[in-house]
């Protein structure tokens, strides 16, 4: 289990993959609890989601979002990798279809000049 953070993100940079801005609505659910947020950025390994009421670290979630310009939503399983309570969730893909993974990779490749 990784350390839970409160307040702003102040830890060392640990990104392994390039992230690009996303800015789309996202639904996150665990069991019967469903919360809406905004997917701020995306990488091949996960997303950063802004959310007013966050989930606990290491929680397994199902997410649904649509990439800009796409018509079909992406549904995936994720793990909450880090939390800034009631502000951000760092989500790590734990189950994503090959087609959805390809769509994410293509989106990142096509929008790589806007890296965050």
């Amino acid at each position: 289990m990784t350390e839970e953070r409160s307040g702003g993100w102040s830890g060392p940079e640990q990104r392994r993959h390039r992230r690009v801005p996303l800015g789309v609505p996202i639904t996150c659910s665990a069991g019967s609890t469903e919360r809406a947020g905004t997917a701020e950025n995306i990488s091949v390994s996960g997303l950063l989601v802004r959310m007013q009421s966050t989930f606990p670290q290491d929680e397994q979630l199902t997410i649904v979002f649509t990439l800009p310009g796409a018509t079909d939503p992406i549904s995936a399983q994720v793990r909450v990798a880090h939390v800034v309570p009631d502000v951000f969730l760092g989500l790590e893909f734990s189950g994503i279809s090959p087609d959805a993974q390809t769509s994410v990779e293509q989106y990142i490749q096509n929008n790589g000049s806007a890296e965050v």
Side-chain angles (χ1 to χ4, degrees):
M1 179 147 89
T2 56
E3 177 183 346
E4 184 170 314
R5 310 235 182 219
S6 60
W9 181 254
S10 62
E13 183 60 55
Q14 296 179 2
R15 293 181 183 163
R16 295 181 312 256
H17 304 284
R18 179 176 57 172
R19 291 185 174 266
V20 297
L22 191 54
V24 299
I26 186 168
T27 302
C28 302
S29 56
S32 63
T33 302
E34 184 174 288
R35 297 185 181 136
T38 302
E40 296 286 328
N41 63 51
I42 191 167
S43 77
V44 294
S45 61
L47 306 101
L48 180 70
V49 175
R50 182 179 295 274
M51 181 174 286
Q52 289 183 352
S53 178
T54 52
F55 289 91
Q57 187 159 348
D58 290 325
E59 184 89 29
Q60 298 294 319
L61 307 175
T62 299
I63 60 169
V64 179
F65 66 98
T66 303
L67 291 168
T71 55
D72 295 327
I74 290 176
S75 178
Q77 303 301 309
V78 296
R79 179 186 71 86
V80 178
H82 68 266
V83 179
V84 177
D86 301 328
V87 180
F88 285 112
L89 291 176
L91 303 178
E92 178 181 50
F93 290 123
S94 59
I96 184 169
S97 74
D99 287 345
Q101 184 69 41
T102 298
S103 295
V104 168
E105 291 168 359
Q106 288 175 344
Y107 178 81
I108 292 166
Q109 182 177 359
N110 294 336
N111 294 280
S113 62
E115 187 174 340
V116 292

